[in-house]
Amino acid sequence: MSVLRVDAKVVMLGKESVGKTSLVERYVYHRFSVGPYQNTIGAAFIAKPTKVGETVITLGIWDTAGSERYQAMSRIYYRGAKAAIVCYDPTDSSSFQRAQFWVKQLQDYDETGCRIYLCATKKDLIDEDRTLRQIDYHDAQDFAEDIGAEHVETSSKTGNNVDELFQKVAEDYRDSVFLHMTAEETGINLDQRTDSYLSNCCHMN
Ligand SMILES: Nc1nc2c(ncn2[C@@H]2O[C@H](COP(=O)(O)OP(=O)(O)OP(=O)(O)O)[C@@H](O)[C@H]2O)c(=O)[nH]1
């Protein structure tokens, strides 16, 4: 049996039926299931190697159940995560409240500097009928900026922005590791470098 090494743990969070499983399926299997909706029980895991330049980053994706029944378990899945994709459905305002709840949870319990990606799902529905929108794009964007998150609108049905989202997660992870390695390898403390740079260039008397 071969075991795939996971580089970065990624957790999918959001209200039930918001489209988390569909996002993962679209990204990993390039498909969109049209059959009857089946809610996730507990969580599902899939590892997906993702090419970033010359590097391959394997994302270990935990697709958690959105049902509040499994809320306590979801914490197990985001512990140690490098990225959290917090999903909301812009045609369902309660799902945005739920996304805010998950962001608060991540901020309260975050142990490892987990990066947050705020993901609007089902963009195809809004593109077809704008009156379905219950969450204003700019309100969501403001929220994302407040929490220092990326904000992206996706559709698992059409595939719009799905690859781009996971690619960004992998790239950000690669960049964070690279930044860390550069500082260690060169022996340069970035904080000291900044201080010395400031004292050399900025004289504030
Ligand atoms: N039109 C449209 N429907 C979508 C899209 N993504 C998901 N859906 C539908 O929304 C329903 C719920 O999708 P899931 O991906 O199972 O939702 P989930 O967030 O994983 O749900 P839980 O497992 O209960 O947490 C399904 O009927 C999907 O077909 C999308 O991009 N466009």
Side-chain angles (χ1 to χ4, degrees):
M1 189 180 79
S2 69
V3 178
L4 204 55
R5 186 178 63 93
V6 167
D7 295 306
K9 178 177 174 181
V10 179
V11 64
M12 311 292 297
L13 295 168
K15 192 187 159 187
E16 67 184 318
S17 187
V18 83
K20 301 176 295 297
T21 301
S22 301
L23 274 173
V24 175
E25 285 203 349
R26 166 60 80 180
Y27 177 58
V28 175
Y29 304 116
H30 316 288
R31 71 176 182 218
F32 177 70
S33 306
V34 282
Y37 156 60
Q38 285 188 309
N39 63 329
T40 306
I41 296 168
F45 176 81
I46 183 98
K48 167 81 174 170
T50 302
K51 200 154 188 283
V52 181
E54 297 302 308
T55 315
V56 174
I57 303 287
T58 299
L59 301 179
I61 306 169
W62 283 99
D63 174 20
T64 67
S67 167
E68 292 194 25
R69 191 175 342 156
Y70 301 110
Q71 185 171 304
M73 284 173 73
S74 294
R75 291 188 186 135
I76 296 167
Y77 302 112
Y78 65 67
R79 234 170 249 157
K82 298 294 178 205
I85 299 178
V86 180
C87 302
Y88 72 96
D89 171 356
T91 70
D92 170 11
S93 58
S94 71
S95 74
F96 191 64
Q97 286 164 13
R98 196 81 189 130
Q100 290 172 312
F101 164 84
W102 281 119
V103 168
K104 180 89 175 54
Q105 292 286 301
L106 288 165
Q107 288 170 333
D108 288 350
Y109 290 94
D110 181 22
E111 299 158 8
T112 55
C114 174
R115 207 179 259 265
I116 300 175
Y117 300 80
L118 183 66
C119 174
T121 55
K122 310 187 187 180
K123 183 174 185 299
D124 58 285
L125 295 179
I126 301 239
D127 288 343
E128 259 173 43
D129 180 356
R130 295 200 176 271
T131 64
L132 291 177
R133 188 187 272 281
Q134 292 185 3
I135 299 297
D136 184 72
Y137 175 82
H138 296 101
D139 290 345
Q141 183 66 26
D142 287 349
F143 174 61
E145 277 170 25
D146 283 350
I147 60 169
E150 295 282 337
H151 178 221
V152 61
E153 291 194 320
T154 62
S155 166
S156 300
K157 188 174 180 184
T158 65
N160 193 350
N161 277 338
V162 176
D163 283 358
E164 288 82 349
L165 169 63
F166 286 96
Q167 188 68 31
K168 178 84 176 108
V169 168
E171 277 173 19
D172 287 347
Y173 174 72
R174 192 271 318 260
D175 291 350
S176 71
V177 170
F178 182 71
L179 184 70
H180 194 66
M181 278 175 59
T182 306
E184 266 178 11
E185 280 170 8
T186 58
I188 294 171
N189 177 318
L190 292 177
D191 291 336
Q192 281 173 8
R193 191 176 61 174
T194 307
D195 286 344
S196 102
Y197 172 75
L198 283 176
S199 64
N200 282 338
C201 80
C202 309
H203 300 281
M204 294 176 288
N205 295 322

